[in-house]
Amino acid sequence: MSVRDLSESEWGDIRLVGRVRHYSDGAYLDKEGSVGGAVFAIESGLVCITLVGEGGTQQLIGHRKAGDLIGEMSALDGLPRSASMVAKGPVVAVVVSSEDFRLFLSSHPEAALRIMQSMARRIRQAATMYVSRGGSLSSRIASTLIALVADGQTVSKANDLATRTERGIELSLTQQELANWVGASREATARVLAQFRSEELIETRRGGIVVLSPDELAAL
């Protein structure tokens, strides 16, 4: 859910009923399985959404950036968290209790509809990502990178998911995080990225991947 989907007054009302919290790199905003249902409105920074996978490893399933809301489902249904939220770099968020969030929705019906639409999009994206794991590793990596580019096309601030550069769209994503996302080893993921580099589809940098040719990458 992006801040541009809310009016300035609606976003201001979210701030009024919440409390500002600062999180350092690697800190958990909340953990998978926890109860309480607070909603986090990200003011700045990037948050990784993770699940515990096979063998107890953390599996990356998504990112949330400045302007996004996280935790709406637990706030609405009262069930434990389905995933963990981990700060990637410094994060500032407004924490809103489930009770105050539900009151906000009841007094802002248009915002409530947009939030439900956003939740539906995320569910569809998750389903698409799950299905894409059945393809070849190169196609899975390509589709993941394209999805991240599409999600971050308008982002320009530091610590966000994607940043426009002269060369292309730089994703704040390590090779290990990408490997976790597509369900592959880091070594296998690195081999595919090396192939993409040789074809001048991407560049790799420390802690980031620059997508140079989104259209060609999407055609794989």
Side-chain angles (χ1 to χ4, degrees):
M1 174 70 184
S2 173
V3 65
R4 60 181 175 271
D5 293 330
L6 291 176
S7 69
E8 285 299 321
S9 62
E10 290 166 347
W11 191 253
D13 288 345
I14 283 285
R15 294 188 182 100
L16 285 175
V17 298
R19 65 186 189 280
V20 176
R21 293 283 304 274
H22 295 256
Y23 300 89
S24 58
D25 181 38
Y28 281 85
L29 282 69
D30 212 344
K31 292 188 177 182
E32 180 181 354
S34 68
V35 295
V39 174
F40 299 82
I42 305 174
E43 289 277 6
S44 65
L46 185 68
V47 177
C48 295
I49 311 301
T50 66
L51 291 172
V52 177
E54 296 181 2
T57 59
Q58 288 292 327
Q59 180 175 330
L60 180 69
I61 62 170
H63 282 99
R64 299 291 182 266
K65 56 186 181 296
D68 286 344
L69 300 181
I70 316 176
E72 310 97 311
M73 290 182 63
S74 290
L76 293 174
D77 63 20
L79 296 177
R81 296 284 189 206
S82 58
S84 294
M85 315 165 190
V86 188
K88 181 174 179 168
V91 169
V92 179
V94 179
V95 184
V96 182
S97 71
S98 57
E99 293 80 7
D100 285 335
F101 183 66
R102 288 194 292 268
L103 287 173
F104 169 83
L105 295 180
S106 65
S107 61
H108 298 78
E110 292 184 2
L113 176 60
R114 292 195 294 274
I115 288 171
M116 287 189 289
Q117 291 171 333
S118 179
M119 290 171 63
R121 286 196 298 271
R122 289 180 181 176
I123 292 171
R124 289 179 184 273
Q125 289 170 355
T128 299
M129 196 67 70
Y130 178 81
V131 171
S132 72
R133 289 197 171 195
S136 67
L137 181 55
S138 59
S139 66
R140 281 150 51 196
I141 290 176
S143 63
T144 297
L145 294 176
I146 290 302
L148 294 175
V149 165
D151 188 47
Q153 281 284 359
T154 61
V155 177
S156 60
K157 295 180 180 179
N159 291 326
D160 275 334
L161 172 62
T163 304
R164 286 184 177 276
T165 70
E166 293 182 358
R167 294 287 291 164
I169 301 293
E170 182 169 357
L171 301 172
S172 178
L173 185 74
T174 68
Q175 293 188 26
Q176 184 60 66
E177 288 171 334
L178 179 59
N180 293 344
W181 205 323
V182 299
S185 68
R186 186 185 184 284
E187 292 74 18
T189 300
R191 286 195 293 271
V192 172
L193 292 178
Q195 174 190 336
F196 289 172
R197 281 198 306 270
S198 69
E199 297 170 355
E200 299 185 344
L201 301 175
I202 67 165
E203 291 177 352
T204 54
R205 300 177 182 176
R206 184 177 180 82
I209 298 171
V210 182
V211 177
L212 304 176
S213 302
D215 292 340
E216 292 182 38
L217 199 61
L220 295 178

